Amino acid sequence: MTRFATLARLVEPLSLDAFLGEYYDRRLVHLPGTPERSRGLLTHDRVAHLLRSGDGAGANVTRFPVPVVGADSDPVAAYMDAGYPVILNSARGASPEIDRICKELGAALQAHVWPNVYATGTAGAPLNIHFDLHDVLVVQCEGEKEWQISSLRADRPLDVPEMQGAFDHAIETMREKALASIDMKFTVKPGDVVYIPRGQFHMATTPRGRSLHVTFAIRPLSGYDLAQALCRLTLSDPRSRAYLPNLDPDYASEKTQSRLIEFKDLLKELIDSPNMDQVLAEVRADLISPSNRDRPASVETIVDGTQGREYPGKAVG
């Protein structure tokens, strides 16, 4: 159970078995904690340091949507003091503790795990009500945040480029219904953890001062990944690379059906072969390995979903 030690600590007071059996990929849960649970993860001072020193991020935060007093002397501090949000995407490297948790959650859940950082104030919320294509574990680091959870949940969305269009459409068409279906509200404090399964509509705002939390996005292996593994395997077999003969336009014809049966038999043979296990292991390793890679956090442009203002940072997940 050593590989689950970090996950077990994050989901206390639930037992690991209760979390995995009753909540994981099923339903949201708010887990009150103490500041000790988030100690060493991240601070606002560290976020400001990253913005000042990392890859041109300081230049981004000088592009304020409104004049900010003190911007000339310290644009980062002025921006944050004015209550505007900052979001750091894929924030590996933001702190050693964040990197450690990503690595250990990835190993425990056999998933791609990456962190996003949300440092927000009262000047605007970075996101309107929405859902994510992946599960998230939210760890509150500083300040407070108010969460609103809708009973509306999209059916098993998947974090792959092929679903992006459907994701955008669902957000737009279901947003009003999600707002009208809020059935859970709560406030989190430092050390609290929130687990949100993929597809669950939610939104969060900062009631006072500044709030800082880290979300650990979780994207495990899916049936779609198994299909991709099979595609990879079919390319390794010369029979699958052969051109199909001209098929009769009448798909019910004996000739057409015979060819389809041959191809189905080939797919079944490949699925049952030992090579399928090897390819699947490679796909799993490819999925998990980014959780172990450290890279600087990126800061792009976000849009306040409530007021339409543009801010530094991009809200992803």
Side-chain angles (χ1 to χ4, degrees):
M1 298 293 288
T2 303
R3 91 177 203 213
F4 290 98
T6 292
L7 179 60
R9 181 174 65 85
L10 289 175
V11 301
E12 292 175 346
L14 281 178
S15 69
L16 184 63
D17 288 343
F19 173 73
L20 294 176
E22 300 174 27
Y23 294 93
Y24 185 53
D25 199 27
R26 291 175 176 83
R27 57 194 174 110
L28 180 143
V29 61
H30 170 211
L31 301 162
T34 66
E36 184 62 33
R37 180 152 58 183
S38 60
R39 200 178 308 281
L41 195 61
L42 199 64
T43 64
H44 275 104
D45 286 345
R46 173 63 178 167
V47 171
H49 172 75
L50 291 170
L51 292 175
R52 291 187 181 103
S53 62
D55 297 330
N60 285 339
V61 295
T62 62
R63 293 198 280 269
F64 304 123
V66 293
V68 178
V69 175
D72 292 338
S73 60
D74 190 343
V76 172
Y79 181 88
M80 295 177 72
D81 289 346
Y84 294 118
V86 173
I87 293 180
L88 299 123
N89 297 315
S90 299
R92 300 182 191 94
S95 78
E97 182 69 359
I98 285 177
D99 295 341
R100 182 189 68 81
I101 291 177
C102 280
K103 180 177 180 178
E104 294 182 5
L105 287 181
L109 297 170
Q110 294 292 283
H112 176 197
V113 177
W114 69 99
N116 294 318
V117 172
Y118 295 79
T120 58
T122 57
L127 286 171
N128 203 332
I129 194 164
H130 69 287
F131 66 83
D132 297 313
L133 297 171
H134 46 262
D135 296 8
V136 296
L137 273 171
V138 179
V139 183
Q140 186 70 16
C141 298
E142 293 184 345
E144 297 182 356
K145 181 143 289 184
E146 293 180 348
W147 289 82
Q148 297 185 63
I149 311 299
S150 172
S151 60
L152 196 61
R153 185 181 176 192
D155 187 12
R156 287 166 286 194
L158 195 61
D159 204 345
V160 294
E162 292 83 355
M163 282 207 75
Q164 188 62 49
F167 162 72
D168 293 338
H169 177 73
I171 290 288
E172 290 304 315
T173 58
M174 299 169 72
R175 177 172 284 139
E176 292 303 318
K177 184 176 180 181
L179 282 168
S181 305
I182 300 296
D183 70 346
M184 187 183 299
K185 297 181 180 181
F186 53 86
T187 299
V188 297
K189 298 180 179 181
D192 284 10
V193 168
V194 182
Y195 168 72
I196 307 174
R198 57 179 171 161
Q200 189 83 55
F201 273 91
H202 62 277
M203 65 184 298
T205 55
T206 303
R208 62 191 67 83
R210 288 199 65 83
S211 172
L212 174 65
H213 73 259
V214 179
T215 69
F216 293 95
I218 303 167
R219 202 299 216 180
L221 206 67
S222 69
Y224 177 81
D225 299 308
L226 301 184
Q228 285 192 314
L230 180 58
C231 288
R232 184 185 300 187
L233 192 56
T234 58
L235 284 176
S236 70
D237 191 299
R239 291 172 294 173
S240 70
R241 301 197 302 267
Y243 291 140
L244 293 173
N246 291 332
L247 299 180
D248 194 303
D250 179 5
Y251 288 97
S253 72
E254 182 177 344
K255 179 181 178 182
T256 299
Q257 289 301 309
S258 176
R259 293 303 183 187
L260 291 176
I261 289 172
E262 288 178 9
F263 185 65
K264 290 177 183 178
D265 288 343
L266 171 59
L267 292 179
K268 186 176 186 305
E269 177 187 331
L270 293 174
I271 289 173
D272 292 338
S273 72
N275 290 336
M276 183 64 182
D277 293 336
Q278 178 181 345
V279 172
L280 182 56
E282 293 172 357
V283 171
R284 180 184 289 109
D286 289 344
L287 183 71
I288 298 172
S289 62
S291 305
N292 301 328
R293 297 174 191 158
D294 298 344
R295 64 186 181 193
S298 62
V299 182
E300 303 168 31
T301 298
I302 66 170
V303 175
D304 182 329
T306 303
Q307 301 178 32
R309 296 173 177 169
E310 295 187 357
Y311 303 107
K314 182 181 179 183
V316 177

